[in-house]
Amino acid sequence: MSKACFITLEGGEGAGKTTNLEFIRDQLERQGKRVVVTREPGGTPLGENIRAIFLGEGEISPETELLLVFAARAQHLRDVIEPALAAGAWVVCDRFTDASYAYQGGGRQVSPELIRRLEEMVQNGLKPDLTILFDAPVEVGMARAKRRGASDRMESEDVEFYERVRIAYLQLAEHNPKRIKVIDSSRSLQDVQANIAHLLLSLFGS
Ligand code: T5A
């Protein structure tokens, strides 16, 4: 694949996205790609301010959550993602719109139709070329996240919430098999990274 690609990383809490970001950057750079690594919510000064509100303390309604992540996303697309892709860089983003379907749609049970309308409004048809979904049983991810230390607002939900998030992600993968590739991230880091390397090689070969 010669054009610049937009790659997103998804998964439940503690699934291993952030751990593998630098590995992915390294794999792409070895192939001579220029890489921009970013994250959501966040990625711009405004987006990082929204992230602090989003993950901070206090009640936030499901619809407000959704509007916050899409407000951050709109700015992120205009200021970072679209210009980077236009300049030929590969963009690797830690979470994107699938997280809205999984967390706000699956977890909070906001109507998927509402999410789809915002997606249409904000993304101008842009979708990731590849999404790597790090999937692990909820208890595995939660135990890993807990070992890492203090929890934020989104890490303080009950197990049922994260089960709904996981199911929503797996359904997205089932409906988008070409774009979303599922990696079993309950395996050792070595196995997970071997899978990622294999996946990226198949992308370069296409
Ligand atoms: N959100 C986001 C929404 O609700 N809607 C949206 O639209 C968007 C974009 C912040 C929150 O925002 C929500 C979802 C999130 O709750 P985030 O910054 O990505 O998103 O935060 P988290 O999901 O909380 O990120 P985590 O850091 O918890 O998960 P990661 O990045 O998947 O996990 P990672 O890599 O930090 O790993 C966790 C621990 O496990 C170990 C690591 O060393 C680390 O200690 N680990 C492994 N251990 C053994 N074997 C392996 N294979 C391992 N892989 C990792």
Side-chain angles (χ1 to χ4, degrees):
M1 194 175 277
S2 55
K3 78 169 179 80
C5 278
F6 179 28
I7 299 176
T8 58
L9 311 186
E10 298 282 358
E13 306 299 309
K17 298 168 290 86
T18 314
T19 303
N20 289 298
L21 255 180
E22 285 309 313
F23 176 77
I24 292 169
R25 182 209 290 268
D26 185 56
Q27 295 288 305
L28 295 176
E29 286 179 347
R30 278 166 193 251
Q31 297 288 331
K33 313 295 182 196
R34 201 150 50 78
V35 182
V36 171
V37 167
T38 186
R39 69 172 180 181
E40 289 208 350
T44 64
L46 175 70
E48 292 296 326
N49 284 335
I50 292 175
R51 180 187 180 90
I53 295 167
F54 183 84
L55 295 178
E57 285 175 10
E59 286 273 307
I60 301 182
S61 81
E63 290 73 19
T64 308
E65 267 190 7
L66 185 67
L67 292 168
L68 284 173
V69 290
F70 269 99
R73 185 163 298 138
Q75 197 70 31
H76 194 204
L77 280 160
R78 301 304 164 262
D79 289 357
V80 177
I81 297 174
E82 290 169 351
L85 291 171
W90 284 45
V91 175
V92 182
C93 190
D94 191 343
R95 294 196 187 279
F96 193 62
T97 303
D98 293 313
S100 307
Y101 283 104
Y103 280 80
Q104 281 66 52
R108 304 278 188 232
Q109 303 186 305
V110 172
S111 143
E113 180 50 27
L114 183 56
I115 305 174
R116 202 186 54 73
R117 275 172 25 213
L118 289 169
E119 181 181 17
E120 240 175 55
M121 187 181 94
V122 164
Q123 286 172 225
N124 247 331
L126 180 75
K127 295 217 180 204
D129 297 288
L130 169 70
T131 298
I132 304 178
L133 172 55
F134 292 87
D135 178 62
V138 168
E139 59 277 14
V140 172
M142 286 178 83
R144 284 182 187 165
K146 262 203 192 91
R147 272 200 297 277
R148 215 186 26 198
S151 306
D152 60 43
R153 192 181 63 86
M154 296 299 284
E155 290 169 337
S156 311
E157 295 295 331
D158 53 24
V159 177
E160 289 71 31
F161 175 86
Y162 301 112
E163 293 288 2
R164 289 198 299 277
V165 169
R166 185 180 185 209
I167 290 167
Y169 266 134
L170 291 173
Q171 284 172 346
L172 285 165
E174 204 178 305
H175 293 136
N176 300 274
K178 274 189 81 172
R179 173 174 68 85
I180 305 181
K181 304 296 179 193
V182 184
I183 285 187
D184 177 359
S185 65
S186 66
R187 301 175 68 179
S188 72
L189 193 55
Q190 202 184 13
D191 282 358
V192 169
Q193 293 189 338
N195 280 341
I196 296 171
H198 182 74
L199 197 58
L200 293 177
L201 271 182
S202 66
L203 190 64
F204 302 131
S206 63

